[in-house]
Amino acid sequence: MSNQCEHAKSKAGIYAATVTSIRRLLADHFLLTLRSQVFPTACPGQFVQIQCGSPAGIPEQDCRFDPTRVPIVRRPFSLGGWRENNGATEIEILFRVLGPGTAWMSQRRENDEVSVLGPLGKPFSIVRDAELSLLVGGGTGD
């Protein structure tokens, strides 16, 4: 996430992304890398929402909450990384398995498609010449 954020006017949208890798970092922590041909510039402070499960072909009456099934609802995740690579955008998501949505994410494999909504949130600027900077980070899906 670089200086291009200072002038970026990205509009949020729903984008299809392909899993390029998923790597277990710790017992319940994973790093998911997604690739999209059209994902816009993302800036510090922004996040995405990932649809955990696919609503395609599921009858409306089957979409009611059921704790034994993966709810069809998007989950918010911070962007752990954003980069352009060979004309496409790669984003990285660090997450911890805590429920059915993140368990579904941990089962994604290379070439699986994932629906991503973003970039969302209010970006902030990085002050390059500041004497002291602080970064307060959030969790991993807790």
Side-chain angles (χ1 to χ4, degrees):
M1 298 185 210
S2 65
N3 288 343
Q4 61 190 339
C5 289
E6 294 172 15
H7 303 291
K9 293 195 172 25
S10 301
K11 291 190 177 182
I14 297 175
Y15 301 93
T18 303
V19 174
T20 59
S21 71
I22 184 157
R23 190 166 49 119
R24 183 184 299 267
L25 302 176
L26 296 168
D28 294 328
H29 291 79
F30 291 82
L31 181 64
L32 175 67
T33 304
L34 302 171
R35 181 179 177 89
S36 175
Q37 295 297 327
V38 293
F39 195 81
T41 300
C43 301
Q46 291 192 294
F47 66 97
V48 296
Q49 289 194 346
I50 296 177
Q51 179 136 6
C52 299
S54 173
I58 297 175
E60 187 175 326
Q61 67 270 18
D62 290 342
C63 289
R64 290 172 292 202
F65 178 72
D66 178 349
T68 63
R69 292 187 349 180
V70 175
I72 300 169
V73 63
R74 291 183 182 275
R75 306 301 201 291
F77 293 94
S78 297
L79 290 167
W82 179 97
R83 65 185 163 273
E84 290 182 356
N85 187 357
N86 294 324
T89 300
E90 289 183 342
I91 59 174
E92 292 179 327
I93 308 295
L94 174 65
F95 69 95
R96 179 178 174 194
V97 176
L98 290 171
T102 49
W104 177 88
M105 285 178 53
S106 73
Q107 299 302 310
R108 299 307 90 209
R109 296 296 171 249
E110 193 172 322
N111 297 318
D112 283 354
E113 269 201 23
V114 176
S115 176
V116 179
L117 170 61
L120 303 168
K122 184 176 180 183
F124 59 85
S125 298
I126 297 173
V127 180
R128 302 265 182 224
D129 297 331
E131 186 175 318
L132 175 67
S133 296
L134 297 175
L135 174 67
V136 178
T140 54
D142 303 27

